[in-house]
Amino acid sequence: MSLFFRNIFIIFLIFSSFLFADSGFKMNIILPVGGTYSVYEPIFKQDLGIDAIYEYNKDNGDLFGFESGFEVLPGYLFDFNDDLGLGLFGNIGYSYDFFGFKRLSFKEQYNIHSVKLGFDSKLYFSDFAFGLGFGIKVPFYIKSQLENYGISGTINYSANSLNNILVNPLFTYIQFSADYIFDLDNFDLGLGLYFGYDFALSLKTIESVLSSMDFYAFDFGLRLSFIIGESI
């Protein structure tokens, strides 16, 4: 039986050497920049009833904001043929995100600086790359801005004071991307679009009826990629 499995393993290695002949290390350095639509969801301490919740929420509004970042994706490309490949990558980087809401003349905004950790998969077809990624964002600095009738104030939360505002130390994300790849002499250059969603960022509040403020966000924008390593 051991001889049988050994022969199967040898055949698999030979087959793989032909199937993934041009496979190998690949790294993407990505600069995204875009916008975000922030959605606010107050979490009530108890059931206040439909009428009371309606009265609380009726004047709330969502906000648009700006986001950017920096990502490094080291990984491996499996090259199936000249036009098709699959890349599996880790994702580590920096993320700048916006969350906020408005209520009549009052506006509350949060600029979140985070370490981004995740996993990305990319399907390469000819000169195009289609990606799906997910992971976590771990805030290390938060800038809170409050504005009411033209009077504004700012509170900054650094690493040693984040527990004063964060309910949870992280939040999660998912992202889809589509890039066109330009084949240059020493590296490849990608230009594309991304669409993402940030799951609940939960923040503390002093409002007596709330246990927390949860924010969600729809992200969209452009991205520039510098790509080194194997190509299909």
Side-chain angles (χ1 to χ4, degrees), residues 99-164:
F99 298 92
F101 75 98
K102 60 184 178 180
R103 181 187 300 133
L104 298 176
S105 64
F106 178 75
K107 185 184 295 184
E108 190 165 342
Q109 303 177 61
Y110 297 91
N111 303 115
I112 314 294
H113 302 261
S114 305
V115 174
K116 185 176 183 180
L117 301 170
F119 171 82
D120 282 51
S121 61
K122 292 181 181 293
L123 179 65
Y124 293 92
F125 179 73
S126 187
D127 293 326
F128 295 91
F130 303 95
L132 179 64
F134 59 89
I136 61 172
K137 297 179 182 180
V138 184
F140 62 85
Y141 184 83
I142 296 177
K143 181 179 181 180
S144 170
Q145 297 175 282
L146 310 176
E147 181 179 334
N148 195 18
Y149 290 108
I151 301 174
S152 60
T154 299
I155 304 175
N156 297 315
Y157 299 90
S158 57
N160 59 357
S161 60
L162 285 176
N163 61 337
N164 294 329

Side-chain angles (χ1 to χ4, degrees), residues 20-228:
F20 306 123
D22 296 324
S23 300
F25 173 79
K26 193 177 189 71
M27 184 168 69
N28 299 260
I29 300 173
I30 302 174
L31 302 175
V33 59
T36 183
Y37 178 70
S38 174
V39 178
Y40 169 57
E41 181 182 353
I43 305 300
F44 296 94
K45 291 182 178 179
Q46 57 187 2
D47 186 3
L48 301 180
I50 295 177
D51 293 338
I53 292 176
Y54 171 78
E55 286 297 321
Y56 183 89
N57 285 326
K58 69 176 184 178
D59 296 319
N60 290 342
D62 303 321
L63 293 176
F64 281 97
F66 168 80
E67 69 168 20
S68 62
F70 176 83
E71 303 173 20
V72 178
L73 279 67
Y76 195 86
L77 171 67
F78 298 91
D79 188 358
F80 300 115
N81 57 48
D82 290 338
D83 291 318
L84 185 64
L86 176 66
L88 301 177
F89 301 92
N91 186 330
I92 182 170
Y94 159 75
S95 181
Y96 172 83
D97 296 287
F98 169 89
F99 298 92
F101 75 98
K102 60 184 178 180
R103 181 187 300 133
L104 298 176
S105 64
F106 178 75
K107 185 184 295 184
E108 190 165 342
Q109 303 177 61
Y110 297 91
N111 303 115
I112 314 294
H113 302 261
S114 305
V115 174
K116 185 176 183 180
L117 301 170
F119 171 82
D120 282 51
S121 61
K122 292 181 181 293
L123 179 65
Y124 293 92
F125 179 73
S126 187
D127 293 326
F128 295 91
F130 303 95
L132 179 64
F134 59 89
I136 61 172
K137 297 179 182 180
V138 184
F140 62 85
Y141 184 83
I142 296 177
K143 181 179 181 180
S144 170
Q145 297 175 282
L146 310 176
E147 181 179 334
N148 195 18
Y149 290 108
I151 301 174
S152 60
T154 299
I155 304 175
N156 297 315
Y157 299 90
S158 57
N160 59 357
S161 60
L162 285 176
N163 61 337
N164 294 329
I165 188 171
L166 287 176
V167 175
N168 299 313
L170 55 84
F171 59 103
T172 57
Y173 74 90
I174 187 170
Q175 180 176 281
F176 171 78
S177 62
D179 300 282
Y180 184 81
I181 308 299
F182 298 89
D183 187 4
L184 305 180
D185 291 338
N186 298 318
F187 62 94
D188 293 343
L189 185 68
L191 182 62
L193 304 171
Y194 72 88
F195 303 91
Y197 185 75
D198 292 324
F199 296 88
L201 170 70
S202 189
L203 302 180
K204 296 178 181 179
T205 177
I206 61 173
E207 293 197 50
S208 60
V209 298
L210 300 182
S211 60
S212 68
M213 301 183 299
D214 285 5
F215 292 93
Y216 303 81
F218 296 93
D219 307 322
F220 51 90
L222 302 174
R223 43 188 263 157
L224 181 66
S225 304
F226 300 92
I227 308 165
I228 60 174

